Amino acid sequence: MDTERLLLIVEDDDAFARTLARSFERRGYRVLHADGMARMEELLTEHVPQYAVVDLKLKGEATGLACVRTLHEHSAKMRIVVLTGFASIATAVEAIKLGAGHYLAKPSNTDDIEAAFALQEGNPEVELTNRSSSIKTLEWERIHEVLAESDFNISEAARRLGMHRRTLSRKLGKQRV
């Protein structure tokens, strides 16, 4: 079983997954694609990828965070990058705790992902921002933390936040993600 440069993409958007796969194949990777947890687990019975790209928000019962945990348990050496259009500090922290090496906000390209695979350790030279968080930023991060805790179920997140579902939907629609 050849595992050199074997990449697993866990993404439910078939068009995006195909584009990403083609781009990595041009760079010499052998690519597998899973559209969710069940297919990912099937592929893991036969393959041990060195690399994985996981979308945070997947359709179905499992989130990308559950996939990260399973991938890390399958191979602690696997380089895992989480991609998301729903970036928040809470989900970034959880992804790293569960075994992801990096967490990138969409849109990210193949260069960004490959650079993230190459980085094995944190960078203590990263520039620190000098701005404090605004109330809106703190609210946005809290909303995403609760969304992640409720597996991105908007009705459940709204209940936990003590707001109407339509209010939460409106806030999510207004914010950039």
Side-chain angles (χ1 to χ4, degrees):
M1 182 174 8
D2 179 29
T3 60
E4 190 168 330
R5 307 235 329 152
L6 179 60
L7 168 67
L8 173 61
I9 297 173
V10 183
E11 170 66 65
D12 57 4
D13 179 342
D14 288 332
F16 179 70
R18 275 193 310 275
T19 301
L20 198 57
R22 279 194 303 266
S23 183
F24 273 102
E25 286 167 348
R26 283 193 297 271
R27 293 172 184 236
Y29 289 80
R30 192 163 61 99
V31 179
L32 304 170
H33 173 237
D35 61 359
M37 177 72 100
R39 177 68 179 139
M40 182 191 80
E41 288 174 330
E42 287 174 26
L43 290 170
L44 291 177
T45 62
E46 299 175 24
H47 304 279
V48 183
Q50 285 180 304
Y51 306 95
V53 176
V54 180
D55 185 20
L56 179 66
K57 188 174 180 188
L58 299 168
K59 294 176 190 137
E61 75 290 346
T63 68
L65 293 175
C67 293
V68 168
R69 180 181 55 223
T70 300
L71 288 167
H72 186 69
E73 289 170 355
H74 184 72
S75 171
K77 293 181 180 181
M78 189 183 308
R79 308 264 174 98
I80 304 168
V81 172
V82 172
L83 286 183
T84 184
F86 300 89
S88 74
I89 291 172
T91 54
V93 168
E94 290 307 313
I96 300 304
K97 284 172 137 181
L98 292 168
H102 292 278
Y103 180 98
L104 300 173
K106 288 179 180 176
S108 291
N109 61 32
T110 308
D111 290 334
D112 298 333
I113 297 166
E114 201 167 41
F117 286 150
L119 298 173
Q120 292 186 37
E121 298 176 1
N123 180 2
E125 303 302 318
V126 142
E127 187 177 324
L128 301 176
T129 61
N130 205 11
R131 70 177 178 91
S132 59
S133 293
S134 69
I135 295 293
K136 286 190 178 274
T137 301
L138 293 173
E139 177 189 43
W140 185 241
E141 289 174 0
R142 178 65 182 144
I143 286 170
H144 275 278
E145 179 182 16
V146 173
L147 273 170
E149 289 170 0
S150 61
D151 291 328
F152 295 93
N153 180 319
I154 292 178
S155 296
E156 177 60 20
R159 187 190 64 73
R160 291 180 186 185
L161 289 165
M163 67 175 67
H164 195 279
R165 183 189 178 290
R166 283 186 295 210
T167 302
L168 178 57
S169 293
R170 190 178 68 249
K171 286 179 181 284
L172 291 171
K174 283 184 176 179
Q175 265 307 342
R176 57 179 160 69
V177 286

